[in-house]
Amino acid sequence: MKEFKRLKNEGNDFVKIGEYEEAANKYSECMKLNAEECTVYTNRALCYLKLYKYEEAKQDCDHVLQIEDSNIKAFYRRALAYKGLQVRKKNMAGI
């Protein structure tokens, strides 16, 4: 549990300075230690949104909503992911 907390805090620190790839990596390491902790999934989803990885963000939010079906952050970030996917789809159609 101590290692999990350390990795999560490191991930949070990376988010604060805008290092989203590094933060996502830390959250992924957290998941190996505790796959049921929803906050690391919603945090990683935030990172993926910032990195324009909308499908990955959606998947993380879907996972959280399977565990906690009323998680507001997961609903919000999944909506942002869907929005990003729609914009990307429209842009691809225009090419």
Side-chain angles (χ1 to χ4, degrees):
M1 193 62 177
K2 197 174 180 181
E3 177 73 2
F4 176 87
K5 196 171 239 180
R6 183 185 65 76
L7 289 167
K8 183 180 172 193
N9 287 336
E10 287 178 11
N12 294 344
D13 291 341
F14 278 123
V15 168
K16 289 174 188 170
I17 61 172
E19 295 290 335
Y20 301 111
E21 193 72 50
E22 290 295 325
N25 291 337
K26 293 295 179 183
Y27 297 136
S28 295
E29 289 180 47
C30 286
M31 291 168 194
K32 292 175 188 172
L33 300 173
N34 182 354
E36 299 301 309
E37 177 64 43
C38 291
T39 57
V40 291
Y41 285 91
T42 55
N43 289 358
R44 189 172 74 169
L46 170 69
C47 296
Y48 285 151
L49 289 169
K50 296 289 188 180
L51 295 167
Y52 309 105
K53 295 181 177 182
Y54 302 117
E55 185 59 42
E56 292 88 337
K58 185 186 94 53
Q59 289 172 4
D60 277 356
C61 293
D62 287 343
H63 179 79
V64 170
L65 292 169
Q66 288 176 354
I67 299 168
E68 292 180 12
D69 62 357
S70 61
N71 187 301
I72 300 300
K73 279 187 182 179
F75 273 119
Y76 177 69
R77 291 182 179 159
R78 185 171 69 173
L80 293 175
Y82 275 123
K83 184 178 178 185
L85 288 167
Q86 289 300 318
V87 168
R88 182 175 287 160
K89 192 175 177 181
K90 284 181 184 175
N91 288 341
M92 293 300 285
I95 293 177

